[in-house]
Amino acid sequence: MNVQEIVDALSLEVKTAKGDLSRTVTGCYISDLLSDVMANAKEGEIWITLQTHPNVVAVASLKNLGGIIVTNRRSPEAETLQKAENEGVVIAVSPLSTFEVGGMLYKMLRC
Amino acid sequence: MTRRNIEGSFHLSGGDFTNAGAASSELKSILTNLGINPEIVRRAAIATFEAEMNVIIHAVAGVMYYLITQDTIKVVLNDMGPGIPDIDRAMTEGYSTAPDWIREMGWGAGMGLPNMKKNSDRFKLDSVVGEGTTVEIIIRIKEGKTE
């Protein structure tokens, strides 16, 4: 499954790196603690978080994650979007809660 | 194939959250371009990013120095920070002295130092209260982590 398919299925709004949606997603990691993501997320996983500051881009980039989904109608900061665009990190947003987005992704990625 | 040792350094500014991770990202690119095993690069990225973040969060300024030889990646971070009064406690997972606003950013979970140690083959931490902290991370390139 790639990022585009997840964007379509979850009706996400893609904010950055729109040219990088063909990337394969291997799983999902949910956390708002950045060190936890650094320690435990795996390459290719899509990351669901409430955090919107620029450090999320550094984490996603260093860990080579599949992309970031920001939930609960939160808007990433302008600096975050700029950084993500520069580094080719996909950030997509959803009005749904982390529970709802995570639940839908669980069903999609588990099969 | 042999290659010459590669060394360099980055200056880190305390409180500069915008550029946080830039030094670790650049070092990761250097290691990747050298063709070093991705698993080793991954561990180096985690350990150095956590160390870089600690300087950004806690210190006024710092320097990240790296030396890449045939066999090892060595990264030393020296900071001008408050120092760590109780290193054993600081190494305990879950213990953090970060203020609330840092925690709201998702840092300060008390995982930084343990993450550095877990991803290093050798890890050394020296600190003098009121002067600063030195972190030394060594990761073997050739054989990987044995434990």
Side-chain angles (χ1 to χ4, degrees):
Chain A
M1 182 168 302
N2 65 25
V3 180
Q4 182 70 60
E5 290 171 89
I6 291 172
V7 165
D8 293 341
L10 275 62
S11 302
L12 303 175
E13 184 190 343
V14 179
K15 294 282 193 186
T16 60
K18 292 179 180 163
D20 294 305
L21 301 178
S22 58
R23 177 159 187 183
T24 301
V25 174
T26 54
C28 173
Y29 198 77
I30 303 178
S31 182
D32 296 324
L33 290 178
L34 277 68
S35 287
D36 174 40
V37 179
M38 282 306 290
N40 298 314
K42 293 182 192 73
E43 182 172 345
E45 288 182 340
I46 204 150
W47 172 24
I48 307 177
T49 184
L50 288 174
Q51 298 290 356
T52 56
H53 59 82
N55 296 167
V56 296
V57 179
V59 170
S61 175
L62 279 162
K63 293 288 291 188
N64 219 1
L65 299 180
I68 303 168
I69 301 175
V70 176
T71 53
N72 260 1
R73 219 177 286 281
R74 287 199 174 207
S75 298
E77 295 164 20
E79 244 177 2
T80 309
L81 296 176
Q82 186 60 54
K83 229 177 158 63
E85 198 62 61
N86 293 345
E87 299 195 20
V89 172
V90 175
I91 297 182
V93 298
S94 171
L96 302 177
S97 72
T98 297
F99 173 71
E100 289 168 300
V101 173
M104 288 191 268
L105 266 178
Y106 183 79
K107 276 193 214 153
M108 289 171 70
L109 291 164
R110 212 174 140 240
C111 309
Chain B
M1 195 172 70
T2 56
R3 64 159 187 271
R4 278 191 230 167
N5 293 348
I6 297 167
E7 62 181 328
S9 62
F10 304 102
H11 284 273
L12 307 174
S13 301
D16 182 5
F17 284 89
T18 304
N19 293 307
S24 309
S25 294
E26 199 171 328
L27 183 57
K28 185 188 170 194
S29 297
I30 294 168
L31 297 172
T32 303
N33 291 338
L34 287 171
I36 291 169
N37 179 325
E39 174 58 20
I40 306 272
V41 176
R42 188 189 67 80
R43 286 174 46 214
I46 295 172
T48 56
F49 183 48
E50 290 285 8
E52 182 179 355
M53 282 314 304
N54 267 4
V55 176
I56 309 284
I57 291 168
H58 296 284
V60 177
V63 175
M64 181 195 285
Y65 161 83
Y66 62 88
L67 172 67
I68 307 160
T69 68
Q70 285 294 313
D71 303 323
T72 59
I73 303 161
K74 177 178 173 180
V75 182
V76 181
L77 290 101
N78 261 308
D79 76 36
M80 288 180 278
I84 302 171
D86 186 340
I87 288 179
D88 285 343
R89 204 168 173 205
M91 289 303 301
T92 308
E93 193 142 350
Y95 177 78
S96 172
T97 57
D100 285 348
W101 70 274
I102 296 283
R103 291 173 197 253
E104 281 163 19
M105 290 175 76
W107 297 113
M111 295 177 72
L113 288 169
N115 271 357
M116 285 176 227
K117 191 174 179 185
K118 269 182 218 161
N119 286 285
S120 306
D121 289 307
R122 263 177 48 207
F123 177 77
K124 214 170 116 194
L125 179 63
D126 290 308
S127 191
V128 178
V129 173
E131 289 186 17
T133 299
T134 301
V135 167
E136 187 178 300
I137 293 159
I138 293 179
I139 298 173
R140 283 195 294 271
I141 294 173
K142 289 234 162 121
E143 45 205 311
K145 204 167 183 180
T146 48
E147 65 180 43

